[in-house]
Amino acid sequence: MTSKSLLIMFKNKKSLVFRLRGLREGVHPVEASATPEELDLPNAVDPIHVSGELRVGEHFMFRLEVTSTQRFICDRCTDEFERELKTPLEIIYAPIDQEAEFEDSGYLHTYEPTQLYEVDITEDVHDALLLAVPMKNLCREACPGIVYDMEEEEEDEPIYDARFASLGGLYEKLKGEEKA
């Protein structure tokens, strides 16, 4: 069987379900895509791409790279922007009796050897992409934050942002509590 025919064998109604039964030992290429709806990722702009290899031996090991373009809101300036996320993903399917060997692996699934026919990696890809999102999302590294056009403001008029109106009396309230 050639690599090309292996890719055809992977085709299924669900895009991230792979047939494992009947694969010969060795390394097999993996290429797949999933829609943002299939992965429950509403911020994804385009289909999510998964590529890499599947190693078949005493266990099955997917070594993949997941790529997705997602929409974020900048944490400094609140502008919307898009960023491409790429994250490696290693998923291991090991027989129940080999579980101890792979105990420290992040994405380990065990199976009964006589019952494994196909695997669905949708949830693993979803989780990997969520973990790849940075803690702080900036539209660019040097984002200055919310910028006001000072020329349009009158000199005597204070700069006011309605989003912070509820914080108006907080400073005076805390000062009063501090004195008490």
Side-chain angles (χ1 to χ4, degrees), residues 85-101:
L85 296 177
K86 284 187 178 188
T87 186
L89 176 59
E90 185 176 275
I91 308 168
I92 300 170
Y93 287 87
I96 292 173
D97 61 344
Q98 291 182 12
E99 182 176 9
E101 270 183 65

Side-chain angles (χ1 to χ4, degrees), residues 118-145:
E118 62 185 23
V119 294
D120 184 352
I121 64 169
T122 304
E123 204 170 303
D124 296 314
V125 171
H126 172 266
D127 293 350
L129 279 173
L130 288 181
L131 290 171
V133 174
M135 293 286 290
K136 188 142 188 98
N137 287 302
L138 301 177
C139 58
R140 61 186 190 280
E141 195 61 37
C143 177

Side-chain angles (χ1 to χ4, degrees), residues 2-20:
T2 66
S3 296
K4 189 124 179 118
S5 62
L6 284 174
L7 289 175
I8 293 167
M9 185 171 58
F10 286 135
K11 296 290 182 188
N12 195 312
K13 290 179 184 175
K14 290 180 85 180
S15 55
L16 296 178
V17 174
F18 298 97
R19 187 175 136 212
L20 299 180

